Amino acid sequence: MRNILSTVLIKNELKNDPELKISKMRFETLSQGIEQLFSSEIKSTYFIGYTREGSKTNKGKLYDKYCNIRKEMKKISPITVTSTNHQHDFSPNVMSDGIEFNEEICWLKNNTEPNETVYSYWKLTAPYRLGSSFENALSMFPALTLSSLGPSLIESDFNYLYPSKTMALLSKFELFIQSFRKYIDDNNINFGTKGLEYIAELNNPKRPGNEVYAALWLLPLIFQPLCVKLTKTNNKKSSWRPSKVEQACSFIRFINNINDVKNTHESIVKKAITFGLTVQPYILIVGSIFEEINSEERIQSFLVINSTNYKLETPLKAVDTCFKSFFTLNYKYPVEGEQVWGFIQKYFFEINTDTDKCFPQMDTIINDLRNCN
């Protein structure tokens, strides 16, 4: 009879919930209700919750029945969870404290190999790690800090959040370049003397890939910078209007020498502290398309998060992974580059969230580019 009672209760809880979730608090309420309704029963028969000092796993007839029924229901109809909030405001899977994935999370916190196990546990724990109550951070999972693993794990998490958007930037960029050329001509945009070299490469690249490099260099310069509100370390509020160069550098920072990577990062950190800001993920492109170097390594692309440098295959792949890290690791766009990253979000990925800022200039540019097709 206890088994039958547990089955009836769990099926009733799950019948109207497509995500098949029951919170720890709800299990407590159900078991307490059974004890109150039936004088012969005690709540610990039906549920004992995980505690750090006591039971290391959830126990009881209600929880066991829940796991069994949920497992069978998943076989029939796989669960998918999507979010339109930049902060991914959906409930963690099953338990608010992540009990269902306790062993896998613990393993990921302490291991970086074998790769197969890392990828397997990473995908398995995505519903919990990407929940609003969990900090999916580099400091928590050492595998995220490895250049050989980190980008793939970021990609995996983004694919969980937006499975239909994974290839949005890479697949659309060639068509964007065609529209971008026409947009520049139609609007007679002046990028200065230096910009003429990049316009030439955009229109007639001397090497394959130069047009992508040129487009990424030119893109942030079509936006007029906006004032940014600041709160400095002394709590005094002020405003700052970044220059076009500063806006462009918050998107991609181009440097010529690999030996300058460390000094560049130190200068970015120093400036952020001065302005009362934090350093968000950014891209470093080392080398120039104008250098006559035959080596395949003439252009090197890095994504920098905190003090971790991820080397990516191409500049466009670096942009793609950087964008995805904002969503999977819950970073914010750099304040001076919000329009540019917002453009990437809206134009290529077509993602809208509850926390998006309104930039009329950005919306106009997106509309104009789409009309250039």
Side-chain angles (χ1 to χ4, degrees), residues 74-335:
K74 273 187 174 182
K75 291 179 181 178
I76 300 171
S77 178
I79 303 169
T80 57
V81 182
T82 58
S83 169
T84 57
N85 192 303
H86 203 184
Q87 300 300 317
H88 320 308
D89 190 15
F90 53 79
S91 302
N93 199 8
V94 188
M95 295 294 180
S96 60
D97 50 6
I99 307 309
E100 182 171 325
F101 304 120
N102 183 55
E103 290 185 4
E104 291 84 359
I105 291 290
C106 184
W107 190 92
L108 287 168
K109 287 181 178 179
N110 294 281
N111 294 276
T112 60
E113 55 182 24
N115 288 359
E116 294 78 7
T117 306
V118 173
Y119 289 128
S120 175
Y121 284 0
W122 196 258
K123 289 183 178 180
L124 182 67
T125 59
Y128 171 59
R129 288 183 298 95
L130 297 171
S132 58
S133 65
F134 190 84
E135 183 184 4
N136 197 36
L138 267 69
S139 59
M140 189 171 292
F141 300 113
L144 264 178
T145 65
L146 300 180
S147 187
S148 58
L149 285 175
S152 297
L153 299 181
I154 291 170
E155 180 83 23
S156 175
D157 277 352
F158 188 83
N159 188 50
Y160 173 81
L161 292 172
Y162 300 101
S164 65
K165 309 286 187 180
T166 301
M167 290 294 295
L169 177 66
L170 303 180
S171 63
K172 295 178 182 178
F173 206 79
E174 186 175 343
L175 287 175
F176 161 73
I177 288 177
Q178 296 177 22
S179 299
F180 194 38
R181 290 168 180 153
K182 189 172 187 303
Y183 175 83
I184 292 171
D185 287 340
D186 290 349
N187 292 275
N188 196 27
I189 299 176
N190 183 2
F191 294 98
T193 304
K194 188 176 181 181
L196 294 176
E197 294 180 295
Y198 291 94
I199 293 291
E201 287 297 324
L202 180 70
N203 293 325
N204 297 292
K206 295 176 183 176
R207 295 189 186 95
N210 279 13
E211 71 279 14
V212 174
Y213 183 106
L216 293 175
W217 192 91
L218 294 165
L219 175 60
L221 300 177
I222 67 175
F223 298 92
Q224 292 298 324
L226 302 175
C227 278
V228 174
K229 293 182 179 180
L230 301 173
T231 301
K232 296 189 177 182
T233 52
N234 56 8
N235 290 326
K236 289 185 178 179
K237 293 185 178 181
S238 61
S239 63
W240 164 50
R241 183 185 291 272
S243 66
K244 278 197 172 185
V245 172
E246 289 173 317
Q247 179 175 256
C249 286
S250 71
F251 177 54
I252 300 177
R253 191 171 289 257
F254 294 88
I255 61 176
N256 291 323
N257 196 315
I258 191 69
N259 296 323
D260 292 334
V261 169
K262 183 179 178 181
N263 290 336
T264 299
H265 183 71
E266 289 176 353
S267 68
I268 290 172
V269 172
K270 184 178 179 180
K271 182 177 180 179
I273 293 172
T274 301
F275 282 84
L277 301 170
T278 55
V279 178
Q280 303 302 310
Y282 66 92
I283 300 161
L284 268 180
I285 305 299
V286 183
S288 172
I289 57 174
F290 304 113
E291 294 180 6
E292 294 298 329
I293 300 175
N294 294 322
S295 169
E296 294 180 359
E297 288 288 308
R298 80 182 200 283
I299 304 295
Q300 298 182 67
S301 309
F302 297 91
L303 164 61
V304 183
I305 305 180
N306 294 341
S307 296
T308 301
N309 295 350
Y310 303 101
K311 188 174 182 180
L312 283 306
E313 295 89 337
T314 65
L316 191 60
K317 184 61 178 177
V319 173
D320 184 65
T321 307
C322 186
F323 174 80
K324 291 170 180 176
S325 73
F326 291 121
F327 283 77
T328 60
L329 300 175
N330 283 330
Y331 283 102
K332 297 179 180 179
Y333 297 146
V335 292

Side-chain angles (χ1 to χ4, degrees), residues 38-58:
F38 300 100
S39 59
S40 62
E41 302 305 298
I42 57 173
K43 64 180 183 179
S44 59
T45 301
Y46 296 90
F47 185 70
I48 300 175
Y50 166 90
T51 60
R52 287 181 171 82
E53 295 78 18
S55 174
K56 298 302 180 184
T57 59
N58 293 298

